[in-house]
Amino acid sequence: MAGAKAKRRVVIIGANGQLGTDLVKVMQDWHIIPLTHADLDICDFVYTRKVLENAKPDIVINTAAFNRVDDCEEEVSKAFWVNAFAVRNLAQVCADLDCVFVHISTNYVFDGQKREPYTEDDPPNPLSVYGASKLTGEYFARNICPRHFVIRTAGLYGVAGSRAKGGNFVETMIRLAKEGKPIRVVKDQVLTPTYTKDLAEKIKELVQTEAYGLYHITNSGECSWYEFAAKIFELLGLKPEFGPITTAEYGTMARRPAYSVLAREKLKSIGLKDLRSWQEALTEYLQGR
């Protein structure tokens, strides 16, 4: 699969975000066309088509999203424009150009009632506007563009931080600890935090196959946000005033699934290795920051 495929033209939408930044790094031996929000507003459908037609891509990877989960509850229209209708347009353009469309989705399409890892075949049932808008985007991508990879992931953190969220969970915990503020983290939401470098490397592997479809890709294992924070402090030798809190006590506008660990069955079925544990990934991230 080297040669021609190694030089494919890849458009990365959201190229300066957490995942986009790592995708640009791991795919640097390919012909990368990085597009930031300043370069392309995916809600401008006509201009988006023009840009992609001019780029003549073999692969389009969409990492752009309106992912401020609580804000989505009040900005419903924006959530669906960015996370669903713009995805529909991207999928249609990719179908027309006969290129591969890679779209990033979320563990928040599930309701958390299952209490064991969700497979790609489990029926989604989102609890929030964010989850509903992302699920709608999934359906558009899967039904409009034949050559698609829809990738659900969870709890992303990476060196670039999340511009929309002002950093990431890891950096927020470190900042609060260093500021000496009491820290309370929810203990009843379980997921798998995922290092964007690991996710980007696996996406690069996946798009070199022609095994199109829906995939779950996260680091291995599971933990609550509280356990994740505790591991961050442990690895850095920090000892803040720190304790658990329930989701009900914390209080958020959007409902979140209590359990949204993703089983990665589809990856294994096509012969790709699972990602390393979330603890190993976190250790490397902290060593490199």
Side-chain angles (χ1 to χ4, degrees), residues 132-154:
S133 66
K134 291 294 289 183
L135 181 60
T136 305
E138 283 188 14
Y139 286 144
F140 282 140
R142 295 170 66 186
N143 286 289
I144 293 172
C145 185
R147 300 169 66 202
H148 67 265
F149 293 101
V150 171
I151 297 167
R152 292 178 183 147
T153 189

Side-chain angles (χ1 to χ4, degrees), residues 19 102-110 118-126 130-131 134-139 142 149-156 192 194 199 203 206 213-219 260-264 267 275:
L19 178 56
V102 182
H103 178 61
I104 310 301
S105 191
T106 175
N107 55 324
Y108 280 24
V109 300
F110 294 112
Y118 283 94
T119 71
E120 290 87 349
D121 294 327
D122 282 323
N125 185 33
Y130 170 69
K134 291 294 289 183
L135 181 60
T136 305
E138 283 188 14
Y139 286 144
R142 295 170 66 186
F149 293 101
V150 171
I151 297 167
R152 292 178 183 147
T153 189
L156 296 185
T192 307
T194 300
L199 176 58
I203 289 172
L206 183 60
L214 171 66
Y215 290 84
H216 290 172
I217 307 180
T218 66
N219 282 113
S260 57
V261 177
L262 302 177
R264 300 160 302 280
L267 268 185
L275 278 66

